[in-house]
mmCIF file of all heavy atoms in Angstrom:
data_model
loop_
_atom_site.group_PDB
_atom_site.id
_atom_site.type_symbol
_atom_site.label_atom_id
_atom_site.label_comp_id
_atom_site.label_asym_id
_atom_site.label_seq_id
_atom_site.Cartn_x
_atom_site.Cartn_y
_atom_site.Cartn_z
ATOM 1 N N TRP X 205 27.939 -43.255 20.465
ATOM 2 C CA TRP X 205 26.530 -42.966 20.727
ATOM 3 C C TRP X 205 26.340 -41.565 21.323
ATOM 4 O O TRP X 205 25.363 -40.874 21.016
ATOM 5 C CB TRP X 205 25.942 -44.005 21.685
ATOM 6 C CG TRP X 205 26.544 -43.964 23.066
ATOM 7 C CD1 TRP X 205 27.609 -44.665 23.529
ATOM 8 C CD2 TRP X 205 26.113 -43.130 24.144
ATOM 9 N NE1 TRP X 205 27.893 -44.342 24.830
ATOM 10 C CE2 TRP X 205 26.980 -43.404 25.251
ATOM 11 C CE3 TRP X 205 25.087 -42.194 24.316
ATOM 12 C CZ2 TRP X 205 26.850 -42.780 26.478
ATOM 13 C CZ3 TRP X 205 24.960 -41.557 25.545
ATOM 14 C CH2 TRP X 205 25.828 -41.857 26.611
ATOM 15 N N TRP X 206 27.282 -41.134 22.172
ATOM 16 C CA TRP X 206 27.098 -39.856 22.838
ATOM 17 C C TRP X 206 27.229 -38.678 21.879
ATOM 18 O O TRP X 206 26.632 -37.617 22.089
ATOM 19 C CB TRP X 206 28.091 -39.711 23.998
ATOM 20 C CG TRP X 206 29.536 -39.671 23.578
ATOM 21 C CD1 TRP X 206 30.379 -40.727 23.459
ATOM 22 C CD2 TRP X 206 30.287 -38.506 23.237
ATOM 23 N NE1 TRP X 206 31.625 -40.316 23.058
ATOM 24 C CE2 TRP X 206 31.599 -38.955 22.924
ATOM 25 C CE3 TRP X 206 30.003 -37.149 23.172
ATOM 26 C CZ2 TRP X 206 32.603 -38.073 22.541
ATOM 27 C CZ3 TRP X 206 31.002 -36.274 22.792
ATOM 28 C CH2 TRP X 206 32.278 -36.740 22.483
ATOM 29 N N ILE X 207 27.991 -38.862 20.791
ATOM 30 C CA ILE X 207 28.080 -37.796 19.785
ATOM 31 C C ILE X 207 26.734 -37.646 19.070
ATOM 32 O O ILE X 207 26.254 -36.529 18.840
ATOM 33 C CB ILE X 207 29.215 -38.083 18.793
ATOM 34 C CG1 ILE X 207 30.569 -38.068 19.524
ATOM 35 C CG2 ILE X 207 29.215 -37.066 17.654
ATOM 36 C CD1 ILE X 207 31.756 -38.352 18.636
ATOM 37 N N TRP X 208 26.127 -38.781 18.745
ATOM 38 C CA TRP X 208 24.796 -38.729 18.135
ATOM 39 C C TRP X 208 23.782 -38.126 19.103
ATOM 40 O O TRP X 208 22.900 -37.363 18.698
ATOM 41 C CB TRP X 208 24.358 -40.125 17.704
ATOM 42 C CG TRP X 208 25.134 -40.664 16.545
ATOM 43 C CD1 TRP X 208 26.252 -41.437 16.585
ATOM 44 C CD2 TRP X 208 24.863 -40.431 15.160
ATOM 45 N NE1 TRP X 208 26.696 -41.712 15.311
ATOM 46 C CE2 TRP X 208 25.860 -41.109 14.411
ATOM 47 C CE3 TRP X 208 23.876 -39.725 14.469
ATOM 48 C CZ2 TRP X 208 25.895 -41.104 13.016
ATOM 49 C CZ3 TRP X 208 23.902 -39.717 13.080
ATOM 50 C CH2 TRP X 208 24.902 -40.396 12.378
ATOM 51 N N ALA X 209 23.908 -38.474 20.382
ATOM 52 C CA ALA X 209 22.991 -37.918 21.383
ATOM 53 C C ALA X 209 23.169 -36.403 21.498
ATOM 54 O O ALA X 209 22.190 -35.663 21.647
ATOM 55 C CB ALA X 209 23.229 -38.595 22.736
ATOM 56 N N MET X 210 24.421 -35.932 21.434
ATOM 57 C CA MET X 210 24.688 -34.494 21.496
ATOM 58 C C MET X 210 24.051 -33.786 20.309
ATOM 59 O O MET X 210 23.393 -32.744 20.467
ATOM 60 C CB MET X 210 26.194 -34.243 21.512
ATOM 61 C CG MET X 210 26.590 -32.782 21.488
ATOM 62 S SD MET X 210 28.382 -32.533 21.711
ATOM 63 C CE MET X 210 29.029 -33.423 20.288
ATOM 64 N N ALA X 211 24.222 -34.338 19.118
ATOM 65 C CA ALA X 211 23.611 -33.745 17.932
ATOM 66 C C ALA X 211 22.087 -33.771 18.030
ATOM 67 O O ALA X 211 21.404 -32.814 17.635
ATOM 68 C CB ALA X 211 24.077 -34.474 16.671
ATOM 69 N N GLY X 212 21.544 -34.866 18.573
ATOM 70 C CA GLY X 212 20.094 -34.954 18.740
ATOM 71 C C GLY X 212 19.562 -33.917 19.706
ATOM 72 O O GLY X 212 18.516 -33.294 19.470
ATOM 73 N N ALA X 213 20.270 -33.700 20.802
ATOM 74 C CA ALA X 213 19.847 -32.685 21.773
ATOM 75 C C ALA X 213 19.875 -31.290 21.157
ATOM 76 O O ALA X 213 18.958 -30.475 21.372
ATOM 77 C CB ALA X 213 20.744 -32.746 23.008
ATOM 78 N N LEU X 214 20.909 -31.010 20.372
ATOM 79 C CA LEU X 214 20.988 -29.709 19.701
ATOM 80 C C LEU X 214 19.869 -29.559 18.678
ATOM 81 O O LEU X 214 19.297 -28.466 18.525
ATOM 82 C CB LEU X 214 22.354 -29.552 19.041
ATOM 83 C CG LEU X 214 23.520 -29.352 20.015
ATOM 84 C CD1 LEU X 214 24.859 -29.507 19.295
ATOM 85 C CD2 LEU X 214 23.446 -27.980 20.694
ATOM 86 N N PHE X 215 19.552 -30.644 17.967
ATOM 87 C CA PHE X 215 18.446 -30.592 17.009
ATOM 88 C C PHE X 215 17.148 -30.181 17.694
ATOM 89 O O PHE X 215 16.426 -29.298 17.214
ATOM 90 C CB PHE X 215 18.282 -31.950 16.326
ATOM 91 C CG PHE X 215 16.954 -32.133 15.640
ATOM 92 C CD1 PHE X 215 16.634 -31.422 14.506
ATOM 93 C CD2 PHE X 215 16.011 -33.022 16.158
ATOM 94 C CE1 PHE X 215 15.409 -31.574 13.870
ATOM 95 C CE2 PHE X 215 14.788 -33.190 15.540
ATOM 96 C CZ PHE X 215 14.482 -32.466 14.389
ATOM 97 N N PHE X 216 16.845 -30.799 18.829
ATOM 98 C CA PHE X 216 15.612 -30.461 19.534
ATOM 99 C C PHE X 216 15.654 -29.031 20.067
ATOM 100 O O PHE X 216 14.625 -28.335 20.084
ATOM 101 C CB PHE X 216 15.355 -31.455 20.660
ATOM 102 C CG PHE X 216 14.794 -32.766 20.171
ATOM 103 C CD1 PHE X 216 15.568 -33.906 20.175
ATOM 104 C CD2 PHE X 216 13.500 -32.843 19.686
ATOM 105 C CE1 PHE X 216 15.066 -35.121 19.711
ATOM 106 C CE2 PHE X 216 12.976 -34.044 19.222
ATOM 107 C CZ PHE X 216 13.760 -35.188 19.234
ATOM 108 N N ALA X 217 16.825 -28.555 20.481
ATOM 109 C CA ALA X 217 16.943 -27.175 20.950
ATOM 110 C C ALA X 217 16.696 -26.193 19.809
ATOM 111 O O ALA X 217 15.940 -25.215 19.963
ATOM 112 C CB ALA X 217 18.324 -26.947 21.569
ATOM 113 N N TYR X 218 17.340 -26.428 18.667
ATOM 114 C CA TYR X 218 17.139 -25.551 17.502
ATOM 115 C C TYR X 218 15.679 -25.560 17.061
ATOM 116 O O TYR X 218 15.102 -24.511 16.756
ATOM 117 C CB TYR X 218 18.009 -25.998 16.330
ATOM 118 C CG TYR X 218 19.494 -26.043 16.579
ATOM 119 C CD1 TYR X 218 20.309 -26.915 15.860
ATOM 120 C CD2 TYR X 218 20.095 -25.219 17.523
ATOM 121 C CE1 TYR X 218 21.678 -26.967 16.062
ATOM 122 C CE2 TYR X 218 21.466 -25.263 17.741
ATOM 123 C CZ TYR X 218 22.254 -26.151 17.008
ATOM 124 O OH TYR X 218 23.604 -26.207 17.215
ATOM 125 N N MET X 219 15.110 -26.758 16.975
ATOM 126 C CA MET X 219 13.727 -26.876 16.526
ATOM 127 C C MET X 219 12.776 -26.168 17.477
ATOM 128 O O MET X 219 11.877 -25.429 17.043
ATOM 129 C CB MET X 219 13.351 -28.355 16.391
ATOM 130 C CG MET X 219 11.935 -28.590 15.887
ATOM 131 S SD MET X 219 11.596 -30.345 15.585
ATOM 132 C CE MET X 219 11.752 -30.994 17.254
ATOM 133 N N ALA X 220 12.985 -26.374 18.786
ATOM 134 C CA ALA X 220 12.111 -25.724 19.763
ATOM 135 C C ALA X 220 12.201 -24.207 19.669
ATOM 136 O O ALA X 220 11.182 -23.505 19.710
ATOM 137 C CB ALA X 220 12.487 -26.191 21.172
ATOM 138 N N LEU X 221 13.420 -23.689 19.512
ATOM 139 C CA LEU X 221 13.601 -22.238 19.431
ATOM 140 C C LEU X 221 12.923 -21.671 18.193
ATOM 141 O O LEU X 221 12.139 -20.711 18.293
ATOM 142 C CB LEU X 221 15.091 -21.901 19.419
ATOM 143 C CG LEU X 221 15.439 -20.423 19.235
ATOM 144 C CD1 LEU X 221 14.917 -19.601 20.402
ATOM 145 C CD2 LEU X 221 16.943 -20.232 19.078
ATOM 146 N N SER X 222 13.193 -22.230 17.036
ATOM 147 C CA SER X 222 12.658 -21.651 15.794
ATOM 148 C C SER X 222 11.138 -21.824 15.702
ATOM 149 O O SER X 222 10.434 -20.906 15.255
ATOM 150 C CB SER X 222 13.346 -22.272 14.574
ATOM 151 O OG SER X 222 13.197 -23.665 14.575
ATOM 152 N N LEU X 223 10.618 -22.982 16.144
ATOM 153 C CA LEU X 223 9.168 -23.174 16.107
ATOM 154 C C LEU X 223 8.475 -22.251 17.098
ATOM 155 O O LEU X 223 7.392 -21.724 16.813
ATOM 156 C CB LEU X 223 8.816 -24.626 16.413
ATOM 157 C CG LEU X 223 9.147 -25.651 15.319
ATOM 158 C CD1 LEU X 223 8.783 -27.056 15.780
ATOM 159 C CD2 LEU X 223 8.423 -25.326 14.015
ATOM 160 N N ARG X 224 9.097 -22.049 18.253
ATOM 161 C CA ARG X 224 8.461 -21.171 19.234
ATOM 162 C C ARG X 224 8.457 -19.723 18.753
ATOM 163 O O ARG X 224 7.481 -18.994 18.959
ATOM 164 C CB ARG X 224 9.216 -21.279 20.570
ATOM 165 C CG ARG X 224 8.467 -20.647 21.724
ATOM 166 C CD ARG X 224 7.144 -21.337 21.984
ATOM 167 N NE ARG X 224 6.323 -20.571 22.930
ATOM 168 C CZ ARG X 224 5.026 -20.437 22.833
ATOM 169 N NH1 ARG X 224 4.361 -21.025 21.839
ATOM 170 N NH2 ARG X 224 4.348 -19.744 23.727
ATOM 171 N N ILE X 225 9.523 -19.297 18.119
ATOM 172 C CA ILE X 225 9.545 -17.950 17.527
ATOM 173 C C ILE X 225 8.423 -17.813 16.511
ATOM 174 O O ILE X 225 7.703 -16.805 16.474
ATOM 175 C CB ILE X 225 10.921 -17.676 16.895
ATOM 176 C CG1 ILE X 225 11.977 -17.497 17.987
ATOM 177 C CG2 ILE X 225 10.876 -16.447 15.991
ATOM 178 C CD1 ILE X 225 13.400 -17.420 17.472
ATOM 179 N N HIS X 226 8.260 -18.833 15.665
ATOM 180 C CA HIS X 226 7.203 -18.798 14.657
ATOM 181 C C HIS X 226 5.818 -18.775 15.306
ATOM 182 O O HIS X 226 4.943 -17.994 14.895
ATOM 183 C CB HIS X 226 7.344 -20.009 13.740
ATOM 184 C CG HIS X 226 6.266 -20.110 12.705
ATOM 185 N ND1 HIS X 226 6.137 -19.209 11.672
ATOM 186 C CD2 HIS X 226 5.246 -21.006 12.555
ATOM 187 C CE1 HIS X 226 5.108 -19.531 10.916
ATOM 188 N NE2 HIS X 226 4.546 -20.607 11.431
ATOM 189 N N GLU X 227 5.618 -19.629 16.310
ATOM 190 C CA GLU X 227 4.303 -19.703 16.959
ATOM 191 C C GLU X 227 3.949 -18.410 17.676
ATOM 192 O O GLU X 227 2.763 -18.105 17.854
ATOM 193 C CB GLU X 227 4.288 -20.881 17.934
ATOM 194 C CG GLU X 227 4.297 -22.237 17.239
ATOM 195 C CD GLU X 227 4.680 -23.370 18.171
ATOM 196 O OE1 GLU X 227 5.024 -23.074 19.354
ATOM 197 O OE2 GLU X 227 4.658 -24.537 17.728
ATOM 198 N N ARG X 228 4.940 -17.647 18.091
ATOM 199 C CA ARG X 228 4.694 -16.375 18.784
ATOM 200 C C ARG X 228 4.530 -15.212 17.803
ATOM 201 O O ARG X 228 4.550 -14.046 18.192
ATOM 202 C CB ARG X 228 5.842 -16.078 19.741
ATOM 203 C CG ARG X 228 5.929 -17.054 20.905
ATOM 204 C CD ARG X 228 7.231 -16.893 21.658
ATOM 205 N NE ARG X 228 7.342 -15.585 22.292
ATOM 206 C CZ ARG X 228 8.490 -14.997 22.621
ATOM 207 N NH1 ARG X 228 9.646 -15.599 22.334
ATOM 208 N NH2 ARG X 228 8.502 -13.817 23.194
ATOM 209 N N LEU X 229 4.360 -15.522 16.524
ATOM 210 C CA LEU X 229 4.165 -14.514 15.467
ATOM 211 C C LEU X 229 5.367 -13.588 15.346
ATOM 212 O O LEU X 229 5.235 -12.380 15.146
ATOM 213 C CB LEU X 229 2.897 -13.679 15.719
ATOM 214 C CG LEU X 229 1.571 -14.426 15.817
ATOM 215 C CD1 LEU X 229 0.428 -13.443 15.993
ATOM 216 C CD2 LEU X 229 1.322 -15.308 14.605
#
Side-chain angles (χ1 to χ4, degrees):
W205 66 269
W206 64 269
I207 296 180
W208 290 93
M210 176 173 61
L214 289 168
F215 163 69
F216 282 108
Y218 302 153
M219 182 174 64
L221 176 64
S222 57
L223 288 178
R224 192 63 191 141
I225 289 172
H226 177 67
E227 290 164 355
R228 293 168 64 204
L229 301 183

